[in-house]
Amino acid sequence: DTEVTQTPKHLVMGMTNKKSLKCEQHMGHRAMYWYKQKAKKPPELMFVYSYEKLSINESVPSRFSPECPNSSLLNLHLHALQPEDSALYLCASSQDVGRWTEAFFGQGTRLTVV
Amino acid sequence: KQEVTQIPAALSVPEGENLVLNCSFTDSAIYNLQWFRQDPGKGLTSLLLIQSSQREQTSGRLNASLDKSSGRSTLYIAASQPGDSATYLCAVRPNNNAGNMLTFGGGTRLMVKP
């Protein structure tokens, strides 16, 4: 099983809403990632969790708040977003952050901020 | 800073053609290179992973090569089919102290016409 599952698939939220994106993997991977992808652009790294600890934050605004409750789950809490935050949010995992690891991606959550 | 470039940005071919997608990177100090496929609005599917010590990897009709010293990789697709239509992304894992996170190229949008 090389599956990374993201929910919901689509999300529309207002600028004053609070919502969460969820990501789950059961491959025993200890590194999990959030990426943001705008239309016709490559994915951009947002956060990296290694062994349930935040190891990289790519200067992401505080309106995005990641959480890793356990080794299988990764959440992204959203609050007071802007329309320009509308994008495809991708979760990925790998065995660890080591040099030889292969990354596996979920199907993404299409977020629209209105 | 590592930069990854994919040429061409878009490609349209008739069904049955063999084709080559190109990926170049500016810093040859990499751990591995990964090729992904992305369908519109969907997540990334890992196609092939080439470690820095390897020259090529094959999976079915796909063959990826790596020339680390010249900073190049190619993805060869044999006997293309309409179902191969998608965006193909290459990503390198740099050998540096910045967490070794994937750096993506801009992608090649492939259309295979019946």
Side-chain angles (χ1 to χ4, degrees):
Chain A
D1 180 12
T2 57
E3 189 170 339
V4 177
T5 303
Q6 290 187 241
T7 56
K9 288 185 170 54
H10 302 275
L11 178 63
V12 180
M13 60 184 292
M15 290 188 284
T16 58
N17 291 158
K18 288 184 180 181
K19 297 288 184 182
S20 296
L21 309 184
K22 297 185 183 300
C23 175
E24 188 169 4
Q25 56 86 17
H26 295 288
M27 295 178 277
H29 289 175
R30 303 310 298 271
M32 297 186 77
Y33 314 78
W34 281 115
Y35 284 81
K36 173 182 178 179
Q37 187 179 26
K38 302 285 277 185
K40 298 188 177 181
K41 297 289 186 182
E44 296 178 349
L45 183 66
M46 300 175 71
F47 302 105
V48 179
Y49 272 83
S50 178
Y51 290 84
E52 294 102 72
K53 294 190 186 306
L54 183 65
S55 63
I56 292 179
N57 176 341
E58 290 288 320
S59 302
V60 179
S62 59
R63 58 186 183 268
F64 296 91
S65 175
E67 178 197 20
C68 190
N70 60 55
S71 61
S72 299
L73 294 174
L74 184 66
N75 299 322
L76 185 63
H77 303 297
L78 314 173
H79 174 53
L81 295 192
Q82 303 297 311
E84 58 265 30
D85 296 322
S86 298
L88 181 67
Y89 287 83
L90 295 164
C91 173
S93 72
S94 62
Q95 187 171 359
D96 54 39
V97 293
R99 62 189 73 177
W100 312 121
T101 58
E102 181 176 6
F104 296 91
F105 282 76
Q107 287 299 296
T109 293
R110 171 70 61 189
L111 174 67
T112 303
V113 182
V114 297
Chain B
K1 179 185 173 184
Q2 177 75 266
E3 293 185 0
V4 182
T5 303
Q6 291 187 245
I7 295 174
L11 182 62
S12 180
V13 299
E15 182 177 6
E17 271 202 10
N18 302 325
L19 55 98
V20 175
L21 308 182
N22 297 293
C23 172
S24 62
F25 44 96
T26 54
D27 188 343
S28 62
I30 65 168
Y31 285 130
N32 59 45
L33 183 146
Q34 202 166 347
W35 281 94
F36 294 91
R37 169 188 172 136
Q38 185 173 32
D39 293 292
K42 303 294 185 182
L44 278 64
T45 300
S46 179
L47 297 174
L48 290 164
L49 170 71
I50 310 178
Q51 302 293 356
S52 60
S53 59
Q54 297 175 323
R55 299 285 294 187
E56 66 177 328
Q57 285 285 339
T58 298
S59 176
R61 293 183 294 109
L62 305 179
N63 176 279
S65 67
L66 174 64
D67 184 343
K68 195 176 75 164
S69 61
S70 67
R72 296 172 190 261
S73 176
T74 61
L75 179 66
Y76 175 82
I77 302 177
S80 59
Q81 303 171 357
D84 295 330
S85 299
T87 295
Y88 291 81
L89 294 155
C90 71
V92 299
R93 190 179 291 274
N95 175 356
N96 57 33
N97 294 322
N100 308 319
M101 295 304 117
L102 288 176
T103 301
F104 283 87
T108 294
R109 292 188 300 281
L110 172 65
M111 176 172 289
V112 181
K113 299 178 180 177

